[in-house]
Amino acid sequence: MIKKILVVEDERDLLFALTTRLEMEGYTVAQSMSFPDALSKVATEVPDLILLDIIIIGKNGLDFLKELRESLKSNIPVIVSSNLSEQSYIDRANQFGVSGYIIKSSTSLDEIVAKIKSLES
Amino acid sequence: MSVDSVSLDLFFNSCPDMLGVVGADGKFVRVNKAFSNLLGWTIEDFYFWPLLWFVHADDVEKTKRELGFVAKEKMVVFENRLKKKTEGFVWFEWKIWIGEDGLLYALARDVTERRLNEEFLELSNIDLQRFRMAVEYASDIIIINDANGAIVYANHAFEEVTGYRVSEIIGTKGGQVWGSMMGVAFYEALWKKMIGEKRSYSGEIQDTKKNGQEYVAELHISPIYGSKGELVYFVAIERDITRQKEIDQMKTDFLSLASHQLRTPLTAMRWLTELLVTDKSLNEKQKEITARVASANLRMINLVNTLLNISRIQSGRILITIADTDLRQLISEVIEDVTPKYGKNHTITVRVADEIGVLRLDAGLLRHVYMNLLTNALKYSDENSEVIVRVYKKEEVIVSEVEDHGVGIPIDQQNKVFQRFFRADNVSGVVTDGTGLGLYLVQMIVQACGGKISFKSEQGVGTTFMFTLPAGGMFERKGEVSLE
């Protein structure tokens, strides 16, 4: 059962839209706009799911995933969201056992909600 | 006439070379039959016209000059051309001397064949010269290696690009002095492979100039065989594509920038309007406005995505990932995706021939093709009409057809259908959400997959698009990008 979602997104408008929509669905949302902050929130907020923007100003979300899986030994489900569709990113994200990879501009909020619900069942 | 003079006369007229006597007025007083046999004029013609009248216009001056020397030099030898009665001319080699009677005695023979051979040789020399210049001053590096791979020639561009002098590398092998980055072993393996497989090589190499600067080059090497089939030379042509590579990289960087920077605000608009649409406090008018903003935003996203896809295919970095693909399932998924927006009331018939089993294809790329063709078929035909999708095998290809009974493409515009940004007159004002890029992209995808696309269309009757795929499946291609 997914109750709390950590949304890692550095674009305020996108963070706002995602948070609003997820809260409408009854989820509790923890927000983070940087990878170090997100890593600490994994421990303090204990989310059931992470919605991860893979590129945050000059930083690579793949490092975050590596840290999450290898150092924190966390198996929290992660849905990667990105506007980069380079296959190499998708392949590398998949190596860290992500539960989904969405291209933001091609995905509606409804579809994101549906994706999250499909992980719950 | 004495016997002597009779036989002299016989000798004169039967001589295969031309014999003649010219008077002080420049006219012949006597010519033998060889003249008229060769040139076609009658003997009377030769007595009527002066000698110069028979000379080729370009040789008249020269002939006058030579004849002018006879008095002083006693005999002149020269060549000129004489006009034939019909078209053309004959090259004459003359020997003309002045007799004690003051008349000019002339002996001439036909040297046309020799002259033409000489002209041909002269032309060949000019050709050879031209080829030499073309090779020497070509902007690409041209290097000739002997059968053992030792360099026997390098052109001017070699010095320009690499900074080495030609004299430094003559006799060396690729990789010894110049070409050290790829190394001797690379070239040795290359020669061996080319000799073994009797074929040319094309590839991209990296190299260093004399000053240590690196460059990227496109290299083509062709083996040259002698008349007995023995290997004589290798001719290598190398083009410096460093700048081109840099531009490619800039384009890639721009693409990545555009995809991120343009899509982020577009995504924000998409998600924020989506939130607004669900806001129950909006009145009807506000809902309609929001819906229009949402639809315009989606069109913008589609346009950006299509442009990115086109750039990706053009960059040649497109990834082709093949997997077992069931076309029936793929087509029904596409129909499911398309019909909520278009073709709610259409009858869509899918006929996949029984012989079509699971194929090794890139489902992602094909989805784009079917999606585009089906969307067009539904968009440009009446609701309640039928759209038929057929897939069957024909010889070595799998043919897919999408047939509609819609507006059709005007005949005078059919040659532009696959051009970028083309939209036919009969739809451009009616259906407003077309970009004119769909079919252009479809054609590029089909070609990248090893297939061909065509169509037949009649205005007011309908259109059928047909594309082929290799029946044996597509070839996998390692690339960096996929379409979306």
Side-chain angles (χ1 to χ4, degrees):
Chain A
M1 190 68 184
I2 295 170
K3 285 184 179 161
K4 189 186 264 187
I5 300 171
L6 173 62
V7 179
V8 187
E9 171 63 68
D10 68 334
E11 285 288 331
R12 282 175 197 284
D13 293 338
L14 300 186
L15 186 60
F16 170 78
L18 284 168
T19 306
T20 309
R21 184 70 177 84
L22 292 175
E23 284 174 350
M24 276 165 65
E25 286 303 314
Y27 295 110
T28 306
V29 177
Q31 299 181 328
S32 183
M33 294 182 71
S34 77
F35 293 133
D37 178 59
L39 279 175
S40 72
K41 279 189 174 147
V42 169
T44 57
E45 300 279 347
V46 200
D48 304 306
L49 173 77
I50 302 172
L51 197 56
L52 173 74
D53 179 10
I54 207 165
I55 298 288
I56 289 186
I57 312 171
K59 295 282 194 313
N60 192 333
L62 291 168
D63 295 335
F64 171 86
L65 275 172
K66 193 177 158 72
E67 190 78 12
L68 180 76
R69 295 290 192 235
E70 289 172 11
S71 301
L72 297 184
K73 306 240 180 287
S74 165
N75 287 318
I76 302 176
V78 175
I79 294 176
V80 171
S81 72
S82 173
N83 266 332
L84 290 181
S85 50
E86 254 66 3
Q87 192 62 35
S88 55
Y89 275 103
I90 301 175
D91 289 346
R92 278 152 67 196
N94 281 332
Q95 282 171 6
F96 294 107
V98 299
S99 309
Y101 194 111
I102 60 163
I103 307 298
K104 287 189 273 194
S105 63
S106 308
T107 314
S108 67
L109 292 174
D110 278 356
E111 285 163 341
I112 294 173
V113 169
K115 179 88 199 166
I116 294 170
K117 290 208 187 293
S118 75
L119 293 182
E120 289 183 80
S121 55
Chain B
M1 199 182 277
S2 68
V3 176
D4 270 359
S5 70
V6 170
S7 50
L8 213 58
D9 214 44
L10 264 174
F11 165 75
F12 187 79
N13 273 323
S14 64
C15 178
D17 283 343
M18 277 65 72
L19 300 171
V21 185
V22 181
D25 57 358
K27 284 185 184 178
F28 283 107
V29 290
R30 191 90 201 264
V31 288
N32 72 347
K33 282 184 182 155
F35 268 101
S36 62
N37 289 346
L38 188 61
L39 296 173
W41 305 101
T42 62
I43 296 290
E44 289 70 34
D45 288 333
F46 287 105
Y47 296 153
F48 185 80
W49 302 103
L51 167 61
L52 287 175
W53 186 86
F54 295 94
V55 175
H56 189 288
D58 292 348
D59 295 341
V60 170
E61 281 310 311
K62 173 180 163 189
T63 308
K64 274 189 194 164
R65 207 169 49 241
E66 294 291 344
L67 292 176
F69 288 141
V70 182
K72 198 168 81 191
E73 300 189 358
K74 302 295 178 214
M75 183 164 91
V76 290
V77 179
F78 67 97
E79 289 179 11
N80 70 1
R81 284 163 292 181
L82 262 60
K83 293 182 285 196
K84 282 177 150 183
K85 185 168 186 178
T86 52
E87 265 177 73
F89 56 85
V90 176
W91 272 103
F92 273 54
E93 184 197 69
W94 295 95
K95 260 187 194 151
I96 300 180
W97 64 96
I98 194 157
E100 284 171 4
D101 49 7
L103 297 175
L104 296 178
Y105 289 80
L107 169 67
R109 60 193 184 97
D110 174 8
V111 293
T112 311
E113 202 178 317
R114 196 199 77 216
R115 288 296 300 220
L116 291 182
N117 275 338
E118 280 171 6
E119 275 175 33
F120 175 75
L121 279 176
E122 201 173 321
L123 275 177
S124 305
N125 272 333
I126 291 171
D127 276 351
L128 211 60
Q129 194 71 7
R130 279 200 197 111
F131 278 124
R132 210 182 65 82
M133 299 283 279
V135 171
E136 186 62 29
Y137 293 101
S139 56
D140 289 348
I141 295 177
I142 299 175
I143 292 174
I144 303 175
N145 301 71
D146 69 15
N148 297 315
I151 297 166
V152 294
Y153 171 84
N155 69 347
H156 191 68
F158 169 81
E159 293 192 339
E160 286 277 301
V161 174
T162 67
Y164 286 101
R165 305 288 301 167
V166 170
S167 54
E168 288 178 88
I169 61 147
I170 290 293
T172 71
K173 291 187 175 185
Q176 283 180 336
V177 176
W178 157 79
S180 56
M181 204 160 163
M182 303 304 287
V184 178
F186 168 80
Y187 287 101
E188 289 294 342
L190 198 63
W191 305 140
K192 218 178 212 171
K193 195 171 159 68
M194 287 173 62
I195 295 168
E197 296 175 13
K198 286 205 164 211
R199 63 191 185 102
S200 52
Y201 165 87
S202 289
E204 233 174 73
I205 58 159
Q206 272 191 310
D207 232 317
T208 26
K209 302 183 179 186
K210 195 173 183 182
N211 64 11
Q213 198 187 340
E214 287 180 16
Y215 69 99
V216 188
E218 214 174 69
L219 175 65
H220 302 275
I221 308 178
S222 309
I224 307 292
Y225 298 99
S227 53
K228 290 173 190 133
E230 79 286 13
L231 181 75
V232 202
Y233 296 117
F234 292 102
V235 174
I237 301 182
E238 193 181 300
R239 174 171 291 178
D240 183 355
I241 54 165
T242 313
R243 180 77 189 127
Q244 214 170 310
K245 284 269 151 189
E246 283 168 5
I247 292 169
D248 273 356
Q249 187 56 43
M250 283 159 74
K251 203 170 149 186
T252 309
D253 293 348
F254 173 76
L255 267 183
S256 147
L257 185 85
S259 61
H260 200 234
Q261 302 303 326
L262 276 177
R263 283 162 157 189
T264 300
L266 285 169
T267 309
M269 285 162 69
R270 174 174 189 168
W271 289 355
L272 294 170
T273 48
E274 200 183 332
L275 289 175
L276 203 52
V277 170
T278 56
D279 191 331
K280 293 190 174 60
S281 63
L282 292 188
N283 65 31
E284 284 309 308
K285 191 76 187 169
Q286 290 164 328
K287 270 186 198 160
E288 195 200 326
I289 293 170
T290 315
R292 281 178 189 266
V293 172
S295 127
N297 166 248
L298 279 183
R299 272 168 51 198
M300 186 85 173
I301 290 174
N302 273 335
L303 181 62
V304 168
N305 285 347
T306 309
L307 283 172
L308 282 170
N309 283 338
I310 286 170
S311 311
R312 284 185 175 131
I313 285 205
Q314 278 177 338
S315 73
R317 300 183 307 132
I318 195 77
L319 182 84
I320 297 180
T321 324
I322 53 171
D324 287 343
T325 306
D326 179 357
L327 284 181
R328 285 176 194 83
Q329 194 192 333
L330 179 74
I331 293 167
S332 74
E333 281 170 12
V334 170
I335 293 172
E336 249 172 68
D337 279 355
V338 173
T339 41
K341 193 165 180 203
Y342 307 103
K344 281 196 192 90
N345 298 313
H346 279 83
T347 308
I348 304 176
T349 312
V350 181
R351 290 183 196 141
V352 180
D354 291 339
E355 59 187 341
I356 306 290
V358 168
L359 296 163
R360 302 285 294 163
L361 301 168
D362 185 321
L365 287 176
L366 275 185
R367 187 182 300 274
H368 277 277
V369 176
Y370 286 116
M371 182 87 82
N372 260 290
L373 296 180
L374 257 171
T375 306
N376 281 349
L378 296 169
K379 250 182 3 185
Y380 301 123
S381 65
D382 282 339
E383 291 193 15
N384 303 317
S385 70
E386 190 186 18
V387 168
I388 308 165
V389 182
R390 288 186 205 87
V391 182
Y392 55 91
K393 196 175 167 198
K394 188 182 173 188
E395 288 155 15
E396 287 311 299
V397 293
I398 306 290
V399 184
S400 297
E401 293 183 4
V402 179
E403 177 184 334
D404 69 50
H405 300 97
V407 295
I409 304 156
I411 187 118
D412 60 327
Q413 292 171 34
Q414 292 192 355
N415 58 343
K416 296 182 190 150
V417 162
F418 294 110
Q419 285 177 11
R420 256 186 301 188
F421 302 115
F422 168 76
R423 298 203 65 214
D425 284 349
N426 57 337
V427 295
S428 59
V430 187
V431 181
T432 51
D433 66 345
T435 57
L437 289 169
L439 286 174
Y440 176 71
L441 179 63
V442 162
Q443 186 188 36
M444 291 179 82
I445 297 175
V446 170
Q447 286 170 353
C449 294
K452 285 179 182 158
I453 185 163
S454 62
F455 67 94
K456 52 180 189 227
S457 181
E458 194 177 329
Q459 209 171 350
V461 177
T463 305
T464 304
F465 273 90
M466 294 147 273
F467 70 92
T468 63
L469 294 168
M474 298 178 189
F475 286 107
E476 188 121 339
R477 184 152 104 197
K478 287 195 165 43
E480 292 155 63
V481 288
S482 47
L483 302 188
E484 50 194 68

